[in-house]
């Protein structure tokens, strides 16, 4: 799916805001830092989960202990990131899983 750069960036920035809001309201043991559009989530064990933009491919990348995951916007969706490798896995499920694996905190992300 090809988007205008401003539409891709708007979706990406809205996604980061949703993630930050979820951590602020639910993540007792988590902290985060948003620097130049890269969101780093700090887990209690010292590990990190990183969300970054990949504008040339219009993707969002997620890096965690369990691996690296790539997502693109679902066709026609404003904010619905679908795995580029496994169409059944959305950012929401993968992010909830990796944050739980690394922090033991159950957080619901509405992305």
């Amino acid at each position: 799916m090809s988007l205008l750069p401003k539409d891709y960036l708007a979706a990406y920035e809205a996604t980061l805001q949703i993630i930050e809001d979820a951590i602020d309201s639910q993540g007792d043991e988590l902290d985060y830092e948003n620097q130049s559009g890269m969101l780093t989530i700090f887990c209690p064990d010292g590990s990190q989960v990183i969300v970054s933009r990949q504008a040339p491919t219009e993707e969002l990348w997620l890096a965690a202990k369990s691996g690296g995951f790539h997502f693109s916007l679902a066709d026609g969706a404003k904010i619905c990131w679908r795995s580029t490798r496994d169409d059944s896995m959305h950012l929401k499920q993968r992010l909830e899983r990796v944050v739980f694996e690394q922090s033991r905190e159950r957080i619901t992300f509405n992305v």
Side-chain angles (χ1 to χ4, degrees):
M1 173 166 112
S2 186
L3 300 168
L4 293 173
K6 69 178 180 80
D7 295 332
Y8 162 78
L9 288 175
Y12 178 78
E13 289 172 7
T15 300
L16 292 190
Q17 188 62 58
I18 291 167
I19 294 169
E20 291 172 10
D21 290 346
I23 293 170
D24 286 342
S25 65
Q26 303 170 55
D28 295 332
E29 299 296 320
L30 298 176
D31 199 5
Y32 64 86
E33 177 180 80
N34 184 341
Q35 188 168 352
S36 301
M38 182 173 76
L39 182 68
T40 303
I41 302 169
F42 301 98
C43 300
D45 67 355
S47 68
Q48 300 175 357
V49 176
I50 299 171
V51 179
S52 62
R53 67 178 173 240
Q54 300 300 318
T57 58
E58 297 178 347
E59 292 180 352
L60 176 154
W61 288 5
L62 176 66
K65 279 182 172 181
S66 57
F69 308 95
H70 301 185
F71 300 87
S72 62
L73 284 169
D75 289 337
K78 289 204 178 249
I79 305 178
C80 180
W81 298 91
R82 185 176 48 220
S83 172
T84 60
R85 294 184 192 141
D86 176 5
D87 202 36
S88 66
M89 182 65 74
H90 289 73
L91 175 62
K92 172 185 176 40
Q93 290 92 4
R94 180 65 67 186
L95 187 57
E96 288 172 355
R97 181 180 296 173
V98 299
V99 167
F100 178 75
E101 289 171 352
Q102 291 181 220
S103 71
R104 293 300 184 225
E105 284 202 56
R106 292 206 185 275
I107 297 181
T108 300
F109 297 100
N110 294 313
V111 292

